[in-house]
Amino acid sequence: MDAIFTYQNIELAYTIEGEGDVVVLLHGWGCDHTIWRQTTDMLKNSHKVIAVDFAGFGNSSEPDSVWGVEEYTRSIEALLKSLGVNYPTLIGHSFGGRVSIVYASRNEVKRVVLTDAAGVKPRRKLGYYYKVYSFKLMRHLLPILIGRQKAQMLIEQRRQRSGSSDYNRATPTMRAILSKVVNEDLCHLMSKIKASTLLFWGENDTATPLSDAKRMERLIPDAGLVTVAGAGHFSFLENTPLFLRVVESFLGKEMKR
């Protein structure tokens, strides 16, 4: 079933399939709920599966202000409350992992699956800060030196050369949101996650490296790590059969054969 939930004038699109205990699927940045198709097909035989399009992605409308992880988490809390959902299992990839961490740190959840999840603030090399602050200086000085129109053209060219593909494809509001959320460190919340947590990670992930997973494993009281050989940031898609087997085992007795 496709549905819409309105949260603070923002339309959040989501799907519900199956019956039973609730599993909530939370996608990564630049994706939407359809990335979970194979996971949904497996889980809907034993669970009620809710797959959400975050605000600004898929069929959901864009936030009207610069949200952080807190606002995104509140939108999911409001959606699940409206559906009468308590004690869900959360499965989050990348940015969806951020929301899963915040949600699970302050709400009762049954289990948590974090796959190539964000949440550990990345360690930056000196060159990164040079790029960031030189770009900020460029944005402020160029309009004064060469005029607004020509400055905007040069700034956009610089952005296209140096920005990530996610950043370059985004609208101005979503660019501001990405800049905000990517620097949010959630390590202080991880010890508050009391539910059993599965970490499913690509050994070659460069966006959220394996060292992040190992740190999460240390900080989350009941966490275990599965490393996927040869996989990158989308390990659950790069080795879907393994992901589904591991999730099935993790959910244990809830799964119907």
Side-chain angles (χ1 to χ4, degrees):
M1 179 186 75
D2 295 337
I4 295 289
F5 170 68
T6 302
Y7 172 75
Q8 296 184 350
N9 298 318
I10 307 299
E11 290 190 342
L12 297 179
Y14 65 96
T15 63
I16 298 182
E17 298 186 57
E19 294 294 335
D21 289 342
V22 174
V23 176
V24 180
L25 304 178
L26 300 173
H27 63 79
W29 195 271
C31 304
D32 59 36
H33 77 278
T34 60
I35 202 168
W36 297 112
R37 187 66 263 168
Q38 290 173 287
T39 304
T40 298
D41 287 344
M42 180 190 77
L43 291 176
K44 69 182 182 181
N45 296 317
S46 53
H47 290 74
K48 178 180 289 186
V49 183
I50 301 174
V52 185
D53 284 347
F54 282 123
F57 301 97
N59 293 319
S60 294
S61 55
E62 190 173 291
D64 53 10
S65 60
V66 179
W67 282 14
V69 180
E70 175 64 27
E71 288 79 8
Y72 275 99
T73 304
R74 287 179 185 176
S75 72
I76 299 303
E77 288 172 332
L79 168 62
L80 297 185
K81 183 178 180 180
S82 75
L83 296 173
V85 172
N86 297 300
Y87 207 43
T89 291
L90 305 178
I91 301 180
H93 169 245
S94 194
F95 175 72
R98 286 185 182 275
V99 175
S100 298
I101 289 167
V102 177
Y103 187 103
S105 73
R106 66 192 191 203
N107 296 280
E108 281 196 316
V109 298
K110 197 161 194 175
R111 289 181 178 83
V112 181
V113 178
L114 301 175
T115 175
D116 302 297
V120 176
K121 187 172 182 177
R123 295 178 180 178
R124 307 293 194 184
K125 295 182 179 179
L126 186 61
Y128 167 82
Y129 292 102
Y130 173 79
K131 283 202 309 182
V132 168
Y133 289 107
S134 64
F135 182 66
K136 288 183 177 180
L137 186 63
M138 179 180 178
R139 284 194 307 173
H140 284 92
L141 290 182
L142 276 186
I144 298 171
L145 296 174
I146 64 175
R148 182 176 299 276
Q149 186 173 1
K150 191 173 182 180
Q152 286 178 340
M153 181 182 67
L154 292 177
I155 290 168
E156 186 60 29
Q157 288 174 353
R158 167 75 178 271
R159 179 183 287 124
Q160 292 293 332
R161 289 196 305 270
S162 60
S164 70
S165 58
D166 282 340
Y167 187 85
N168 288 329
R169 287 195 301 265
T171 65
T173 296
M174 298 306 292
R175 286 176 180 172
I177 290 173
L178 178 57
S179 295
K180 181 176 182 178
V181 301
V182 76
N183 289 309
E184 293 189 50
D185 192 343
L186 305 179
C187 288
H188 64 289
L189 297 177
M190 294 177 189
S191 64
K192 299 179 181 180
I193 299 175
K194 305 308 179 186
S196 294
T197 301
L198 167 66
L199 305 169
F200 189 90
W201 231 268
E203 68 170 353
N204 298 327
D205 188 343
T206 56
T208 54
L210 188 57
S211 59
D212 289 4
K214 292 178 179 178
R215 187 171 183 188
M216 290 182 187
E217 187 179 24
R218 292 193 300 269
L219 292 173
I220 299 172
D222 183 12
L225 172 62
V226 175
T227 304
V228 187
H233 189 54
F234 288 82
S235 59
F236 74 104
L237 294 180
E238 294 172 67
N239 197 333
T240 299
L242 176 61
F243 179 71
L244 296 181
R245 287 198 304 271
V246 170
V247 168
E248 183 178 27
S249 176
F250 183 59
L251 297 183
K253 295 180 181 179
E254 299 171 19
M255 301 298 297
K256 296 177 182 177
R257 296 285 183 177

